[in-house]
Amino acid sequence: MDCPTEERFCSESHASSTLKKMKALCLSQKLTDVTLVVSDTEVTAHRLVLSAASDYFYAMFAGNLMEADMNRIYLENTSPTALKALIDFCYSGEIFLNEDNVETILSTANILQINEVVKSCCAFLAARLHPSNCIGISLFAESHGCMDLHRRAHNYTMDHFLEVLKNQEYLSLPAEEIKKILSSDMLNVQSEEEAFESLMTWINYDLTNRERELPFLLEVIRLPLISPQYLADHVELDPLVKKNFVCRNLIIEAMKYHLLPERRFLLHSLRTRPRKSTVGDLFVIGGMDGGKGSYLIEKYDLRSNQWSTFSTMTLRLQFGAAVHNDKLYVVGGRDGLKTLNIVECYDFKHKTWLAMPSMSTHRHGLGVAVLGGSIYAVGGHDGWTYLSAVERWNPSTRIWSYVAPLNTQRSTAGVAVLNDKLYAVGGRDGSSCLSSVEYFNPHCNKWTFCAPMAKRRGGAGVGVANNYLFALGGHDAPILNPGVSRFDCVERYDPRTDSWSFVAPMKLGRDAIGVGVLGDKLIAIGGYDGQCYLNNVEAYDPQTNEWEELKELKPGRAGMCVVVVKFMDSKCVSIVLKN
């Protein structure tokens, strides 16, 4: 057998052994052709090695710069110790980082454009982020153009802000940096009161020099979103606030926001936009998923734009849900073909389900909402007929009782509360979908028609945002079938003019949409497009009249209930229901 005329040999140790020899030559100052001078320190090296490891030296020696032919190169703004360590890295590929040298090495490596070392230094600092150093690391990274590290450190500052503000870095910041932090929608405070207190902590740390900064900084605190009691007892009475004209005007603006809710749309500004950490968590409960139905309760966090599984429930469909007194109530629905009147309650504090007294009427396709401290179950279907009956749950007596019935039998109507009135929007009456809308006044126990929608809507999603009532999607078929088209259009009701108008449509046509409100944005979740159960989630901004896509819900669902729960100190303290 003939031997091959050519064989390939590859040495695995060639690169490392060659660099070791070059390093030895460098240490003995043999064949070196350049000397780097920093202050009183001189470092000899080989141009070829430096050019191969550093883009800075490559441009210097391989280009047409005057240093290309110079034997001595003077470097400014460079640490001698860091330079020695980096030159050694050029020969060895190894460098030792610690908390004392990492910033100096990063700064010098950044100048010399040794990108591997810059990345390693950034990773070293990112792994050691702490409330006591995150602000400094963020500013340092930004000044050196390390934007990924800057973002990570800034996000850490936002996430751990209540711990950060206890540290010297926060207290020593200049006013401009404090304003950047306190302006952020991502600031992780549980209430705007905490944002105000963090500002006053910074002011009082150096009162003599910082008092004049108060008007400049107070304008980024969202005073209209602070409770009236706290405004009156703490903000307004603060001696620094009381004696400043600009600060007093900001207080007046906040008071108007509380005293004249019907005019809030005129006061829209950064100060009336809730921070993402203060809007609470959105919970999606049950629904249809293409199988037997979903038993999952999932939670959405606006700051992280992420969904997580929160709990499970007894499987049922077409139920209603509301949150009251730290508890989630799941009302009625159907189990297969059986329509239910049972009520179950989830205790957020103890994380347990409890059976509650049942309604008098069996119902599925009902609407549920909280008004005046009571839970209302509106309309629906009892398995035989469409209902106009309305029941009210009194938490004190634990009794369901009937109130005035709807003027129209309705199932799958959208139900929501606006200006202390309970609205029933659209739905089906057995023969057709409805465009009519009526509201309940609990003080006179009466339902009254208001302006109808432009379109008939069965299975529409309904929510309240910015003092308007919104109806999303739905269908208008007398008998629902897979071929029926679903709407992407959205109508908005203005109680001041008793009129409906169209706003920007959703990106997808659908019915059986889950609707909730986080802060000042309307969230549309899932739904059914006639063929698929959708996992799309969109957020509507009433101020810009625009929709944006949020993190998808998985798997797709329709006919779920949505509640928004605001927590503080692990206790549910403020409830908003949008069904």
Side-chain angles (χ1 to χ4, degrees):
M1 182 176 179
D2 295 336
C3 294
T5 58
E6 183 178 73
E7 291 186 9
R8 178 178 180 271
F9 169 74
C10 180
S11 171
E12 295 182 358
S13 62
H14 174 74
S16 60
S17 63
T18 301
L19 277 173
K20 285 180 181 179
K21 290 177 181 178
M22 290 182 182
K23 183 178 180 180
L25 290 169
C26 180
L27 292 173
S28 61
Q29 298 190 12
K30 293 180 179 179
L31 303 180
T32 56
D33 52 7
V34 68
T35 300
L36 306 176
V37 183
V38 181
S39 300
D40 297 328
T41 301
E42 296 185 358
V43 181
T44 58
H46 302 89
R47 294 170 187 263
L48 181 63
V49 175
L50 299 185
S51 299
S54 162
D55 291 342
Y56 175 86
F57 287 122
Y58 178 86
M60 177 182 289
F61 298 136
N64 296 319
L65 299 178
M66 64 179 183
E67 290 90 348
D69 298 320
M70 295 173 59
N71 293 324
R72 294 175 67 82
I73 307 295
Y74 292 86
L75 301 176
E76 297 180 356
N77 303 317
T78 305
S79 161
T81 303
L83 178 65
K84 285 183 176 181
L86 287 165
I87 298 305
D88 184 70
F89 173 82
C90 293
Y91 285 92
S92 66
E94 185 177 64
I95 196 165
F96 294 93
L97 303 177
N98 57 57
E99 293 182 0
D100 294 327
N101 71 8
V102 63
E103 291 189 359
T104 304
I105 287 178
L106 188 153
S107 178
T108 307
N110 205 38
I111 294 171
L112 301 182
Q113 299 176 49
I114 305 177
N115 296 325
E116 281 185 298
V117 175
V118 172
K119 290 180 181 179
S120 296
C121 291
C122 288
F124 182 94
L125 290 169
R128 287 159 178 80
L129 285 169
H130 185 271
S132 64
N133 65 22
C134 55
I135 291 177
I137 290 175
S138 174
L139 296 174
F140 174 80
E142 184 178 28
S143 69
H144 288 81
C146 302
M147 300 315 296
D148 183 62
L149 176 61
H150 166 65
R151 282 188 291 270
R152 291 182 66 176
H154 176 73
N155 291 342
Y156 186 97
T157 302
M158 295 294 103
D159 292 343
H160 300 84
F161 178 69
L162 295 180
E163 299 170 64
V164 170
L165 67 87
K166 301 173 185 176
N167 289 276
Q168 190 65 37
E169 280 194 346
Y170 173 81
L171 297 171
S172 301
L173 280 175
E176 292 77 11
E177 294 299 330
I178 290 291
K179 189 168 188 176
K180 287 180 185 178
I181 290 174
L182 296 183
S183 298
S184 176
D185 284 344
M186 297 299 291
L187 191 69
N188 191 16
V189 290
Q190 294 178 322
S191 68
E192 200 60 29
E193 287 86 342
E194 289 183 340
F196 172 76
E197 290 169 2
S198 70
L199 167 59
M200 299 313 295
T201 296
W202 182 86
I203 293 284
N204 287 314
Y205 182 75
D206 186 5
L207 183 59
T208 302
N209 295 311
R210 294 177 176 177
E211 180 179 354
R212 63 178 179 272
E213 305 288 358
L214 182 58
F216 170 70
L217 296 172
L218 190 62
E219 68 180 12
V220 302
I221 302 299
R222 302 173 191 199
L223 294 180
L225 305 183
I226 289 177
S227 70
Q229 295 82 3
Y230 191 93
L231 276 172
D233 295 343
H234 298 280
V235 182
E236 189 178 23
L237 295 181
D238 188 283
L240 299 179
V241 174
K242 285 177 67 175
K243 67 182 183 181
N244 187 280
F245 176 75
V246 175
C247 294
R248 291 202 305 272
N249 283 343
L250 291 171
I251 299 263
I252 291 171
E253 176 193 62
M255 290 298 189
K256 284 182 178 179
Y257 186 85
H258 289 289
L259 292 172
L260 303 169
E262 70 280 1
R263 300 185 189 176
R264 287 179 179 174
F265 68 101
L266 298 173
L267 299 172
H268 180 75
S269 69
L270 171 70
R271 289 186 290 277
T272 62
R273 187 174 69 207
R275 301 182 199 271
K276 292 184 178 182
S277 61
T278 65
V279 298
D281 294 316
L282 183 146
F283 291 83
V284 169
I285 306 155
M288 296 169 282
D289 61 0
K292 295 182 179 180
S294 177
Y295 58 88
L296 291 176
I297 300 176
E298 295 188 72
K299 182 176 75 170
Y300 175 74
D301 176 68
L302 184 63
R303 285 191 79 249
S304 63
N305 190 30
Q306 294 294 327
W307 290 93
S308 60
T309 299
F310 178 78
S311 185
T312 58
M313 58 174 285
T314 303
L315 184 61
R316 62 170 97 175
L317 301 173
Q318 293 185 287
F319 54 89
V323 175
H324 185 267
N325 284 349
D326 305 357
K327 297 178 177 63
L328 167 67
Y329 291 81
V330 175
V331 182
R334 62 180 176 85
D335 177 6
L337 299 177
K338 181 181 178 182
T339 299
L340 307 171
N341 67 341
I342 60 174
V343 179
E344 292 179 290
C345 168
Y346 181 81
D347 187 322
F348 284 103
K349 183 177 180 180
H350 298 100
K351 300 180 180 180
T352 56
W353 284 97
L354 302 169
M356 304 299 288
S358 298
M359 295 182 293
S360 299
T361 302
H362 294 68
R363 324 168 177 257
H364 68 264
L366 70 161
V368 173
V370 176
L371 174 62
S374 296
I375 299 175
Y376 288 78
V378 180
H381 196 284
D382 66 2
W384 301 98
T385 185
Y386 290 82
L387 301 171
S388 61
V390 179
E391 292 182 67
R392 178 169 62 194
W393 162 259
N394 186 322
S396 300
T397 62
R398 295 168 58 87
I399 293 175
W400 287 94
S401 59
Y402 288 104
V403 297
L406 294 159
N407 293 305
T408 303
Q409 296 171 327
R410 298 178 191 268
S411 179
T412 71
V415 173
V417 172
L418 173 63
N419 295 339
D420 298 322
K421 295 181 177 64
L422 182 66
Y423 283 79
V425 181
R428 294 173 53 82
D429 66 357
S431 59
S432 66
C433 293
L434 303 169
S435 62
S436 63
V437 181
E438 51 187 307
Y439 66 85
F440 176 73
N441 187 332
H443 301 295
C444 57
N445 190 31
K446 181 181 179 181
W447 287 90
T448 303
F449 282 110
C450 56
M453 295 179 288
K455 297 185 76 70
R456 298 174 181 269
R457 296 179 189 264
V462 173
V464 171
N466 203 29
N467 214 39
Y468 292 104
L469 180 68
F470 292 84
L472 289 67
H475 62 87
D476 63 357
I479 300 176
L480 193 58
N481 62 69
V484 171
S485 62
R486 270 72 178 178
F487 305 143
D488 62 0
C489 60
V490 179
E491 291 186 66
R492 181 186 71 182
Y493 176 71
D494 187 344
R496 295 173 289 273
T497 60
D498 186 31
S499 62
W500 289 87
S501 59
F502 285 99
V503 297
M506 298 180 293
K507 298 184 185 299
L508 294 171
R510 40 188 163 151
D511 67 352
I513 308 165
V515 178
V517 173
L518 284 175
D520 56 356
K521 292 187 178 181
L522 199 69
I523 314 295
I525 305 161
Y528 185 66
D529 66 359
Q531 296 181 334
C532 300
Y533 291 96
L534 304 174
N535 61 2
N536 304 76
V537 181
E538 301 179 54
Y540 175 74
D541 187 334
Q543 298 301 324
T544 62
N545 191 32
E546 294 177 343
W547 290 89
E548 65 171 319
E549 295 184 12
L550 302 181
K551 181 73 173 181
E552 293 178 342
L553 175 71
K554 294 182 180 180
R557 279 195 261 174
M560 69 288 265
C561 285
V562 178
V563 296
V564 176
V565 183
K566 187 174 180 181
F567 289 96
M568 184 178 292
D569 296 331
S570 301
K571 182 180 179 182
C572 174
V573 297
S574 177
I575 307 301
V576 182
L577 168 72
K578 304 297 172 208
N579 198 0

